[in-house]
Amino acid sequence: MVQPEQIKQWIEAGLDGARVTVVGDGHHFEAVIVSPAFDDKSMVQQHQLVYQVLGEKMKEEIHALSMRTLTPEQAAQQGE
Amino acid sequence: MSVQDRIKEQIVSEKIMLYMKGTPQFPQCGFSGKTVQILQACGARFGAVDVLADPEIRQGIKDYSNWPTIPQLYINGEFIGGCDIITELYQKGELQKMVMAAQG
């Protein structure tokens, strides 16, 4: 079963300068992802970036992933 | 007609179109159910496509939007997002405006 820590590592490895927190029970996961790669991108484009990094894993290992994507600036404003 | 052509026609057949698992009355997935509830809370009149009823559409819509998950919401043919984005737009009050603008 996939652990939240594993998903955190996958995303951080694929996304420049990402800070990631993931919680989950092995089936459903929730991630908060902060990365400068999200600057000047729409929410759809930000989520697409994360999906791209996870690639085939989204089809197999990860059943359900909720995510919130933030630029470093947004994260600073929201205290994340 | 190819799947992609079918999808292009289908997407614009309703101003607000939701691709989901199950139906608005009987959603088969928590994320689809939540998205339906949010749309209803916005007073949206929307069409829905049950991807579980059509495996070709289920894969085809993912290819169309370059988005690996269901549900997917389209307004006036434009891809708006999945459950997380819909939730966030709703919390910011933006989805309500988009729905109103689409419905005139």
Side-chain angles (χ1 to χ4, degrees):
Chain A
M1 201 192 294
V2 179
Q3 297 303 314
E5 181 62 26
Q6 178 66 67
I7 296 178
K8 171 185 159 74
Q9 286 172 8
W10 282 332
I11 298 173
E12 284 180 345
L15 209 57
D16 282 346
R19 279 195 289 125
V20 184
T21 51
V22 183
V23 295
D25 60 5
H27 297 285
H28 291 77
F29 300 95
E30 288 178 30
V32 178
I33 305 156
V34 182
S35 170
F38 296 148
D39 285 345
D40 301 319
K41 290 201 165 58
S42 70
M43 263 195 287
V44 167
Q45 291 169 331
Q46 293 173 353
H47 287 221
Q48 276 170 333
L49 262 184
V50 179
Y51 285 141
Q52 226 170 55
V53 164
L54 293 172
E56 292 294 311
K57 297 182 186 78
M58 278 309 296
K59 292 180 188 159
E60 289 146 26
E61 289 107 312
I62 306 172
H63 169 64
L65 174 68
S66 289
M67 60 174 127
R68 215 147 65 81
T69 51
L70 300 163
T71 64
E73 198 181 338
Q74 287 170 330
Q77 281 166 5
Q78 298 185 18
E80 292 279 357
Chain B
M1 195 187 280
S2 77
V3 185
Q4 290 302 312
D5 286 338
R6 276 173 63 204
I7 286 172
K8 278 177 201 158
E9 280 195 9
Q10 202 172 45
I11 277 177
V12 294
S13 66
E14 300 276 352
K15 285 180 175 168
I16 304 175
M17 189 59 129
L18 180 66
Y19 286 78
M20 63 179 293
K21 293 181 179 171
T23 63
Q25 290 73 30
F26 298 103
Q28 299 294 320
C29 154
F31 295 110
S32 287
K34 184 178 178 191
T35 305
V36 166
Q37 280 180 357
I38 288 175
L39 285 172
Q40 287 169 344
C42 292
R45 299 182 300 274
F46 60 97
V49 175
D50 178 5
V51 302
L52 298 179
D54 190 332
E56 274 192 358
I57 295 283
R58 183 179 184 173
Q59 182 55 45
I61 195 67
K62 295 178 181 176
D63 298 335
Y64 179 84
S65 54
N66 187 27
W67 191 266
T69 59
I70 307 289
Q72 298 187 11
L73 180 69
Y74 294 80
I75 298 182
N76 290 323
E78 186 194 350
F79 177 53
I80 305 300
C83 183
D84 296 330
I85 290 178
I86 302 308
T87 303
E88 210 167 320
L89 289 173
Y90 176 63
Q91 286 167 349
K92 289 179 183 165
E94 289 174 22
L95 187 68
Q96 294 87 324
K97 289 179 201 160
M98 294 161 82
V99 165
M100 273 200 291
Q103 294 183 163

